[in-house]
Coordinates of all heavy atoms in Angstrom, one line a residue:
N479 N -9.5 -11.3 5.7 CA -9.5 -11.6 7.1 C -9.0 -13.0 7.2 O -9.4 -13.9 6.6 CB -10.9 -11.5 7.7 CG -11.3 -10.1 7.8 OD1 -10.5 -9.2 7.9 ND2 -12.6 -9.9 7.8
E480 N -8.0 -13.2 8.1 CA -7.5 -14.5 8.5 C -7.4 -14.7 10.0 O -7.4 -13.7 10.7 CB -6.1 -14.6 7.9 CG -6.0 -14.8 6.4 CD -4.6 -15.1 6.0 OE1 -3.6 -14.6 6.7 OE2 -4.4 -15.7 5.0
Q481 N -7.4 -15.9 10.3 CA -7.3 -16.3 11.8 C -5.8 -16.4 12.1 O -5.0 -16.9 11.3 CB -8.1 -17.6 12.0 CG -8.2 -17.9 13.4 CD -9.0 -19.2 13.6 OE1 -9.5 -19.8 12.7 NE2 -9.2 -19.6 14.9
S482 N -5.5 -16.1 13.3 CA -4.2 -16.3 13.9 C -4.2 -17.6 14.7 O -5.1 -17.8 15.5 CB -3.8 -15.1 14.8 OG -2.6 -15.4 15.4
F483 N -3.3 -18.5 14.5 CA -3.3 -19.8 15.1 C -2.4 -20.0 16.2 O -1.2 -19.7 16.1 CB -3.1 -20.9 14.0 CG -4.1 -21.0 13.0 CD1 -4.0 -20.3 11.8 CD2 -5.3 -21.7 13.2 CE1 -5.0 -20.4 10.8 CE2 -6.3 -21.8 12.3 CZ -6.2 -21.1 11.1
E484 N -2.9 -20.5 17.3 CA -2.1 -20.9 18.4 C -1.8 -22.4 18.2 O -2.7 -23.1 17.7 CB -2.9 -20.8 19.8 CG -3.1 -19.3 20.1 CD -1.9 -18.6 20.5 OE1 -1.0 -19.1 21.2 OE2 -1.8 -17.4 20.1
E485 N -0.6 -22.9 18.5 CA -0.3 -24.3 18.2 C 0.3 -24.9 19.5 O 1.4 -24.5 19.9 CB 0.7 -24.3 17.0 CG 1.0 -25.7 16.5 CD -0.2 -26.5 16.1 OE1 -1.0 -26.0 15.3 OE2 -0.3 -27.6 16.6
D486 N -0.4 -25.9 20.0 CA 0.1 -26.5 21.3 C 1.5 -27.1 21.1 O 2.3 -27.0 22.0 CB -0.8 -27.6 21.7 CG -2.2 -27.1 22.2 OD1 -2.2 -25.9 22.6 OD2 -3.1 -27.9 22.2
A487 N 1.8 -27.6 19.9 CA 3.2 -28.2 19.7 C 4.3 -27.1 19.8 O 5.4 -27.5 20.1 CB 3.2 -28.9 18.3
L488 N 3.9 -25.9 19.5 CA 4.9 -24.8 19.6 C 4.9 -24.1 21.0 O 5.9 -23.4 21.3 CB 4.7 -23.8 18.5 CG 4.7 -24.3 17.1 CD1 4.3 -23.2 16.1 CD2 6.0 -24.8 16.7
G489 N 3.9 -24.2 21.7 CA 3.7 -23.6 23.0 C 3.2 -22.1 22.9 O 3.2 -21.4 23.9
H490 N 2.9 -21.7 21.7 CA 2.4 -20.3 21.4 C 1.9 -20.3 20.0 O 1.8 -21.3 19.3 CB 3.4 -19.3 21.7 CG 4.8 -19.7 21.3 ND1 5.2 -19.8 20.0 CD2 5.9 -20.0 22.0 CE1 6.5 -20.1 19.9 NE2 6.9 -20.3 21.2
G491 N 1.7 -19.1 19.5 CA 1.2 -18.9 18.1 C 2.3 -19.1 17.1 O 3.5 -19.1 17.4
V492 N 1.9 -19.4 15.9 CA 2.8 -19.6 14.7 C 3.6 -18.4 14.4 O 4.8 -18.4 14.2 CB 2.0 -20.1 13.5 CG1 2.9 -20.3 12.3 CG2 1.3 -21.4 13.8
F493 N 2.9 -17.2 14.5 CA 3.6 -15.9 14.3 C 4.7 -15.7 15.3 O 5.9 -15.3 15.0 CB 2.6 -14.8 14.3 CG 3.3 -13.4 14.0 CD1 3.6 -13.0 12.8 CD2 3.5 -12.6 15.1 CE1 4.2 -11.8 12.5 CE2 4.1 -11.3 14.9 CZ 4.4 -10.9 13.6
T494 N 4.3 -15.9 16.6 CA 5.3 -15.7 17.7 C 6.5 -16.7 17.5 O 7.6 -16.3 17.7 CB 4.6 -15.9 19.1 OG1 3.6 -15.0 19.2 CG2 5.6 -15.8 20.2
H495 N 6.2 -17.9 17.1 CA 7.2 -18.9 16.9 C 8.2 -18.4 15.8 O 9.4 -18.5 16.0 CB 6.6 -20.2 16.5 CG 7.6 -21.2 16.1 ND1 8.4 -21.9 17.0 CD2 8.0 -21.7 14.9 CE1 9.2 -22.8 16.4 NE2 9.0 -22.6 15.1
A496 N 7.7 -17.8 14.8 CA 8.5 -17.3 13.7 C 9.4 -16.2 14.2 O 10.6 -16.1 13.9 CB 7.7 -16.9 12.5
L497 N 8.9 -15.3 15.0 CA 9.6 -14.1 15.5 C 10.8 -14.7 16.4 O 11.9 -14.2 16.3 CB 8.8 -13.2 16.3 CG 7.9 -12.2 15.6 CD1 7.0 -11.5 16.6 CD2 8.8 -11.2 14.8
L498 N 10.4 -15.6 17.3 CA 11.4 -16.2 18.2 C 12.5 -16.9 17.4 O 13.7 -16.8 17.8 CB 10.8 -17.1 19.2 CG 9.8 -16.4 20.2 CD1 9.1 -17.5 21.0 CD2 10.6 -15.4 21.1
Q499 N 12.2 -17.5 16.3 CA 13.2 -18.2 15.5 C 14.1 -17.2 14.9 O 15.3 -17.4 14.8 CB 12.5 -19.0 14.4 CG 11.7 -20.2 14.9 CD 12.6 -21.3 15.6 OE1 13.6 -21.8 15.0 NE2 12.4 -21.5 16.9
A500 N 13.6 -16.1 14.4 CA 14.4 -15.0 13.8 C 15.4 -14.4 14.7 O 16.5 -14.1 14.4 CB 13.5 -14.0 13.2
F501 N 14.9 -14.2 16.0 CA 15.8 -13.6 17.0 C 16.7 -14.6 17.6 O 17.7 -14.2 18.3 CB 14.9 -12.9 18.1 CG 14.1 -11.8 17.6 CD1 12.9 -11.5 18.1 CD2 14.6 -10.9 16.6 CE1 12.1 -10.5 17.7 CE2 13.8 -9.8 16.2 CZ 12.6 -9.6 16.7
G502 N 16.4 -15.9 17.5 CA 17.2 -16.9 18.1 C 18.0 -17.8 17.2 O 18.8 -17.3 16.4
R503 N 17.6 -19.1 17.2 CA 18.5 -20.1 16.5 C 18.5 -19.9 14.9 O 19.4 -20.4 14.3 CB 18.1 -21.5 16.9 CG 16.8 -22.0 16.4 CD 16.5 -23.4 16.9 NE 15.4 -24.0 16.2 CZ 15.5 -24.7 15.1 NH1 16.6 -25.0 14.6 NH2 14.4 -25.2 14.6
K504 N 17.5 -19.2 14.4 CA 17.5 -19.0 12.9 C 17.9 -17.6 12.5 O 17.7 -17.2 11.4 CB 16.2 -19.4 12.3 CG 15.9 -20.9 12.4 CD 14.7 -21.2 11.5 CE 14.5 -22.7 11.5 NZ 13.3 -23.1 10.7
F505 N 18.6 -16.9 13.4 CA 19.1 -15.5 13.1 C 19.8 -15.5 11.8 O 19.6 -14.6 11.0 CB 19.9 -15.0 14.3 CG 20.4 -13.6 14.0 CD1 19.6 -12.5 14.4 CD2 21.6 -13.3 13.5 CE1 20.0 -11.2 14.1 CE2 22.0 -12.0 13.2 CZ 21.2 -11.0 13.6
R506 N 20.8 -16.4 11.6 CA 21.6 -16.4 10.4 C 20.8 -16.6 9.1 O 21.1 -16.0 8.1 CB 22.7 -17.4 10.5 CG 23.7 -17.0 11.5 CD 24.9 -18.0 11.5 NE 25.7 -17.7 12.6 CZ 27.0 -17.8 12.6 NH1 27.6 -18.3 11.5 NH2 27.8 -17.5 13.7
S507 N 19.7 -17.3 9.2 CA 18.8 -17.5 8.1 C 18.0 -16.2 7.8 O 17.8 -15.8 6.7 CB 17.8 -18.6 8.3 OG 18.5 -19.9 8.4
A508 N 17.6 -15.6 8.9 CA 16.8 -14.3 8.8 C 17.6 -13.2 8.3 O 17.1 -12.3 7.6 CB 16.2 -14.0 10.2
D509 N 18.9 -13.2 8.7 CA 19.8 -12.1 8.3 C 20.3 -12.3 6.8 O 21.4 -12.9 6.6 CB 21.0 -12.0 9.2 CG 22.0 -11.0 8.9 OD1 21.7 -10.0 8.2 OD2 23.2 -11.1 9.4
A510 N 19.4 -12.0 5.9 CA 19.6 -12.4 4.5 C 21.0 -11.9 3.9 O 21.6 -12.6 3.1 CB 18.5 -11.8 3.6
D511 N 21.4 -10.7 4.3 CA 22.7 -10.2 3.7 C 23.9 -10.6 4.6 O 25.0 -10.1 4.3 CB 22.6 -8.7 3.4 CG 22.4 -7.9 4.6 OD1 22.4 -8.4 5.8 OD2 22.2 -6.7 4.5
T512 N 23.7 -11.3 5.7 CA 24.7 -11.8 6.6 C 25.6 -10.7 7.1 O 26.8 -11.0 7.3 CB 25.6 -13.0 5.9 OG1 26.3 -12.4 4.8 CG2 24.7 -14.1 5.5
D513 N 25.1 -9.6 7.4 CA 25.9 -8.5 8.0 C 25.8 -8.4 9.5 O 26.4 -7.5 10.1 CB 25.5 -7.1 7.3 CG 24.1 -6.7 7.7 OD1 23.4 -7.5 8.3 OD2 23.8 -5.6 7.3
G514 N 25.1 -9.3 10.1 CA 25.0 -9.4 11.5 C 23.9 -8.4 12.1 O 23.8 -8.3 13.3
E515 N 23.2 -7.8 11.2 CA 22.1 -6.9 11.5 C 20.8 -7.4 10.9 O 20.7 -7.7 9.7 CB 22.3 -5.5 11.1 CG 23.5 -4.9 11.7 CD 23.8 -3.5 11.3 OE1 23.1 -3.0 10.3 OE2 24.6 -2.8 11.9
L516 N 19.7 -7.5 11.7 CA 18.4 -7.9 11.2 C 17.6 -6.7 11.0 O 17.2 -6.0 12.0 CB 17.8 -8.9 12.2 CG 16.5 -9.6 11.8 CD1 16.8 -10.4 10.5 CD2 16.0 -10.5 12.9
T517 N 17.3 -6.3 9.7 CA 16.5 -5.2 9.4 C 15.0 -5.5 9.5 O 14.7 -6.7 9.5 CB 16.9 -4.6 8.1 OG1 16.5 -5.6 7.1 CG2 18.4 -4.3 7.9
A518 N 14.2 -4.5 9.5 CA 12.8 -4.7 9.4 C 12.4 -5.5 8.2 O 11.5 -6.4 8.3 CB 12.0 -3.4 9.5
A519 N 13.0 -5.1 7.1 CA 12.7 -5.8 5.8 C 13.1 -7.3 5.9 O 12.3 -8.2 5.4 CB 13.3 -5.2 4.6
E520 N 14.2 -7.6 6.4 CA 14.7 -9.0 6.6 C 13.8 -9.7 7.5 O 13.4 -10.9 7.3 CB 16.1 -9.0 7.1 CG 17.1 -8.6 6.0 CD 18.5 -8.5 6.6 OE1 18.7 -8.1 7.8 OE2 19.5 -8.8 5.8
L521 N 13.5 -9.1 8.6 CA 12.6 -9.7 9.6 C 11.2 -10.1 9.0 O 10.7 -11.2 9.2 CB 12.4 -8.8 10.9 CG 11.5 -9.4 12.0 CD1 12.1 -10.7 12.5 CD2 11.4 -8.3 13.1
Y522 N 10.6 -9.1 8.3 CA 9.3 -9.4 7.7 C 9.4 -10.5 6.7 O 8.6 -11.4 6.7 CB 8.8 -8.1 7.0 CG 7.5 -8.4 6.3 CD1 6.3 -8.6 6.9 CD2 7.5 -8.4 4.9 CE1 5.2 -8.8 6.2 CE2 6.4 -8.7 4.2 CZ 5.2 -8.9 4.9 OH 4.1 -9.2 4.2
A523 N 10.4 -10.5 5.8 CA 10.6 -11.5 4.8 C 10.7 -12.9 5.5 O 10.1 -13.9 5.0 CB 11.8 -11.3 3.9
F524 N 11.5 -13.0 6.5 CA 11.7 -14.3 7.2 C 10.5 -14.8 7.9 O 10.1 -15.9 7.7 CB 12.9 -14.2 8.2 CG 13.1 -15.4 9.0 CD1 13.8 -16.5 8.5 CD2 12.5 -15.6 10.2 CE1 14.0 -17.7 9.2 CE2 12.6 -16.8 10.9 CZ 13.4 -17.8 10.4
V525 N 9.8 -13.9 8.6 CA 8.6 -14.2 9.4 C 7.5 -14.7 8.5 O 6.8 -15.7 8.7 CB 8.2 -13.1 10.3 CG1 6.8 -13.3 10.9 CG2 9.2 -13.0 11.5
A526 N 7.3 -13.9 7.4 CA 6.2 -14.3 6.4 C 6.5 -15.7 5.8 O 5.5 -16.5 5.8 CB 6.2 -13.2 5.3
A527 N 7.7 -16.0 5.5 CA 8.0 -17.3 4.9 C 7.9 -18.4 6.0 O 7.4 -19.5 5.7 CB 9.4 -17.3 4.3
E528 N 8.4 -18.1 7.1 CA 8.4 -19.1 8.2 C 7.0 -19.4 8.6 O 6.6 -20.6 8.9 CB 9.2 -18.6 9.4 CG 9.4 -19.6 10.5 CD 10.4 -20.6 10.3 OE1 11.1 -20.6 9.3 OE2 10.4 -21.6 11.1
V529 N 6.1 -18.4 8.7 CA 4.7 -18.7 9.1 C 4.0 -19.5 8.0 O 3.3 -20.5 8.3 CB 4.0 -17.4 9.3 CG1 2.4 -17.6 9.4 CG2 4.4 -16.7 10.6
R530 N 4.2 -19.2 6.8 CA 3.6 -20.0 5.7 C 4.1 -21.4 5.8 O 3.3 -22.4 5.6 CB 4.0 -19.4 4.3 CG 3.1 -18.2 4.0 CD 3.2 -17.8 2.5 NE 4.6 -17.3 2.2 CZ 5.0 -16.1 2.3 NH1 4.2 -15.1 2.7 NH2 6.2 -15.8 2.0
D531 N 5.4 -21.6 6.0 CA 6.0 -23.0 6.0 C 5.4 -23.8 7.2 O 5.1 -25.0 7.1 CB 7.5 -22.9 6.1 CG 8.2 -22.5 4.9 OD1 7.5 -22.3 3.8 OD2 9.4 -22.2 4.9
R532 N 5.4 -23.2 8.4 CA 4.9 -23.9 9.6 C 3.4 -24.2 9.4 O 2.9 -25.2 9.8 CB 5.1 -23.1 10.8 CG 6.5 -22.9 11.3 CD 7.3 -24.1 11.7 NE 7.7 -25.0 10.5 CZ 8.7 -24.8 9.7 NH1 9.4 -23.7 9.8 NH2 8.9 -25.6 8.7
M533 N 2.6 -23.3 8.8 CA 1.2 -23.5 8.6 C 1.0 -24.7 7.7 O 0.2 -25.6 7.9 CB 0.5 -22.3 8.0 CG 0.3 -21.2 9.1 SD -0.7 -21.6 10.5 CE -2.3 -21.9 9.7
R534 N 1.8 -24.8 6.6 CA 1.7 -26.0 5.7 C 2.0 -27.3 6.4 O 1.4 -28.3 6.2 CB 2.7 -25.8 4.5 CG 2.2 -24.9 3.5 CD 3.1 -25.0 2.2 NE 3.0 -23.7 1.5 CZ 3.9 -22.8 1.3 NH1 5.1 -23.0 1.9 NH2 3.7 -21.7 0.6
E535 N 3.0 -27.2 7.3 CA 3.4 -28.4 8.1 C 2.4 -28.8 9.2 O 2.0 -29.9 9.3 CB 4.7 -28.1 8.7 CG 5.3 -29.1 9.6 CD 6.5 -28.6 10.3 OE1 7.4 -28.0 9.7 OE2 6.7 -28.9 11.6
L536 N 1.9 -27.8 9.9 CA 1.1 -28.0 11.1 C -0.4 -28.0 10.8 O -1.2 -28.7 11.5 CB 1.4 -27.0 12.2 CG 2.8 -27.0 12.7 CD1 3.1 -25.7 13.5 CD2 3.1 -28.2 13.5
R537 N -0.8 -27.2 9.9 CA -2.3 -27.1 9.6 C -2.5 -27.1 8.1 O -2.9 -26.0 7.5 CB -2.8 -25.9 10.2 CG -2.8 -25.9 11.8 CD -3.4 -24.7 12.4 NE -3.4 -24.8 13.8 CZ -4.5 -24.9 14.5 NH1 -5.7 -24.8 14.0 NH2 -4.4 -25.0 15.8
P538 N -2.3 -28.2 7.4 CA -2.5 -28.2 6.0 C -3.9 -27.7 5.6 O -4.9 -28.0 6.2 CB -2.3 -29.7 5.6 CG -1.5 -30.3 6.7 CD -1.9 -29.5 8.0
G539 N -3.9 -26.9 4.5 CA -5.2 -26.4 4.0 C -5.6 -25.1 4.7 O -6.5 -24.4 4.2
Q540 N -4.9 -24.7 5.8 CA -5.2 -23.4 6.4 C -4.0 -22.4 6.2 O -2.9 -22.9 6.0 CB -5.4 -23.6 7.9 CG -6.7 -24.4 8.2 CD -6.9 -24.5 9.7 OE1 -6.0 -25.0 10.4 NE2 -8.1 -24.2 10.1
T541 N -4.3 -21.1 6.1 CA -3.3 -20.2 5.9 C -3.2 -19.1 6.9 O -4.2 -18.8 7.6 CB -3.5 -19.5 4.5 OG1 -4.7 -18.8 4.5 CG2 -3.4 -20.5 3.4
Q542 N -2.1 -18.5 7.1 CA -1.9 -17.3 7.9 C -0.7 -16.6 7.2 O 0.4 -17.1 7.0 CB -1.5 -17.7 9.3 CG -1.3 -16.6 10.2 CD -1.0 -17.0 11.7 OE1 -1.4 -18.1 12.1 NE2 -0.3 -16.2 12.4
N543 N -1.0 -15.4 6.8 CA -0.1 -14.5 6.0 C 0.1 -13.2 6.8 O -0.7 -12.3 6.7 CB -0.6 -14.3 4.6 CG -0.8 -15.6 3.9 OD1 0.2 -16.2 3.5 ND2 -2.0 -16.0 3.7
P544 N 1.3 -13.1 7.4 CA 1.6 -11.8 8.1 C 1.6 -10.6 7.2 O 2.0 -10.7 6.0 CB 3.0 -12.0 8.7 CG 3.1 -13.5 8.8 CD 2.3 -14.1 7.6
V545 N 1.1 -9.5 7.6 CA 1.0 -8.3 6.8 C 1.6 -7.2 7.7 O 1.4 -7.1 8.9 CB -0.4 -7.9 6.5 CG1 -0.5 -6.6 5.7 CG2 -1.1 -9.1 5.7
C546 N 2.4 -6.3 7.0 CA 3.0 -5.1 7.7 C 2.6 -3.9 6.9 O 2.8 -3.8 5.7 CB 4.5 -5.3 7.7 SG 5.4 -4.0 8.5
F547 N 2.1 -2.9 7.6 CA 1.8 -1.6 7.0 C 2.6 -0.5 7.7 O 2.5 -0.4 8.9 CB 0.3 -1.3 7.1 CG -0.6 -2.2 6.4 CD1 -1.3 -3.2 7.0 CD2 -0.6 -2.1 5.0 CE1 -2.1 -4.1 6.3 CE2 -1.4 -3.0 4.2 CZ -2.2 -3.9 4.9
P548 N 3.3 0.3 7.0 CA 3.6 0.2 5.6 C 4.6 -1.0 5.4 O 5.2 -1.5 6.4 CB 4.3 1.5 5.3 CG 4.9 2.0 6.5 CD 4.0 1.5 7.6
H549 N 4.7 -1.4 4.2 CA 5.6 -2.5 3.9 C 7.0 -2.1 4.3 O 7.4 -1.0 4.1 CB 5.5 -2.9 2.4 CG 6.2 -4.2 2.1 ND1 7.5 -4.4 2.0 CD2 5.6 -5.4 2.0 CE1 7.8 -5.6 1.8 NE2 6.6 -6.3 1.8
P550 N 7.8 -3.0 4.9 CA 9.1 -2.7 5.4 C 10.0 -2.1 4.4 O 10.9 -1.3 4.7 CB 9.7 -4.0 6.0 CG 8.5 -4.8 6.3 CD 7.4 -4.4 5.3
T551 N 9.9 -2.5 3.1 CA 10.7 -1.9 2.1 C 10.4 -0.5 1.8 O 11.2 0.3 1.2 CB 10.6 -2.7 0.8 OG1 9.2 -2.8 0.4 CG2 11.1 -4.1 1.0
A552 N 9.3 0.0 2.3 CA 8.9 1.4 2.1 C 9.4 2.3 3.3 O 9.4 3.5 3.2 CB 7.4 1.6 2.1
L553 N 10.0 1.6 4.3 CA 10.6 2.3 5.4 C 12.0 2.6 5.2 O 12.7 1.9 4.5 CB 10.4 1.5 6.7 CG 9.0 1.1 7.2 CD1 9.1 0.1 8.3 CD2 8.3 2.4 7.6
P554 N 12.6 3.6 5.9 CA 14.0 3.8 5.9 C 14.7 2.5 6.5 O 14.1 1.9 7.4 CB 14.3 5.0 6.8 CG 13.0 5.7 7.0 CD 11.9 4.6 6.7
R555 N 15.8 2.2 6.0 CA 16.5 1.0 6.6 C 16.9 1.2 8.0 O 17.5 2.2 8.4 CB 17.8 0.7 5.8 CG 18.5 -0.6 6.2 CD 19.8 -0.8 5.4 NE 20.2 -2.1 5.4 CZ 20.9 -2.6 6.5 NH1 21.2 -1.9 7.5 NH2 21.4 -3.9 6.4
F556 N 16.5 0.3 8.9 CA 16.9 0.4 10.3 C 17.1 -1.0 10.8 O 16.5 -2.0 10.3 CB 15.9 1.2 11.1 CG 14.6 0.5 11.3 CD1 14.3 -0.3 12.4 CD2 13.5 0.8 10.4 CE1 13.1 -0.9 12.6 CE2 12.3 0.2 10.6 CZ 12.0 -0.6 11.7
T557 N 17.9 -1.1 11.8 CA 18.3 -2.4 12.4 C 17.3 -2.7 13.6 O 17.1 -1.9 14.4 CB 19.7 -2.4 12.9 OG1 20.6 -2.2 11.8 CG2 20.1 -3.8 13.5
V558 N 16.7 -3.9 13.5 CA 15.9 -4.3 14.6 C 16.7 -5.0 15.7 O 16.6 -4.8 16.9 CB 14.8 -5.3 14.1 CG1 13.9 -5.9 15.2 CG2 13.9 -4.6 13.0
V559 N 17.7 -5.9 15.3 CA 18.6 -6.6 16.2 C 19.9 -6.7 15.5 O 20.0 -6.9 14.3 CB 18.0 -8.0 16.4 CG1 19.1 -8.9 17.2 CG2 16.7 -8.0 17.2
A560 N 21.0 -6.5 16.3 CA 22.3 -6.7 15.8 C 23.1 -7.7 16.6 O 22.9 -7.8 17.8 CB 23.1 -5.4 15.8
R561 N 23.9 -8.5 16.0 CA 24.7 -9.5 16.7 C 26.2 -9.4 16.2 O 26.5 -9.2 15.2 CB 24.3 -10.9 16.4 CG 23.0 -11.2 17.1 CD 22.8 -12.7 17.1 NE 21.6 -13.0 17.8 CZ 21.0 -14.2 17.8 NH1 21.5 -15.1 17.2 NH2 19.9 -14.3 18.5

């Protein structure tokens, strides 16, 4: 069990911030294979890493680790967002 953190500096939660980054200004970083499509697996990998990084920066010593069931790599490949 982990707590989900709201962060005043971000204006919302750390997880929401990571999602917005993936869909917005960090889309190219989230799109690991640079094909212009953000798959569920790419989105999960980006969000999980981004949340961990922001937590280290904003709340040292506390953790938040996003979990997805089933794991995105177990799902058929599908596009969440395309640009």
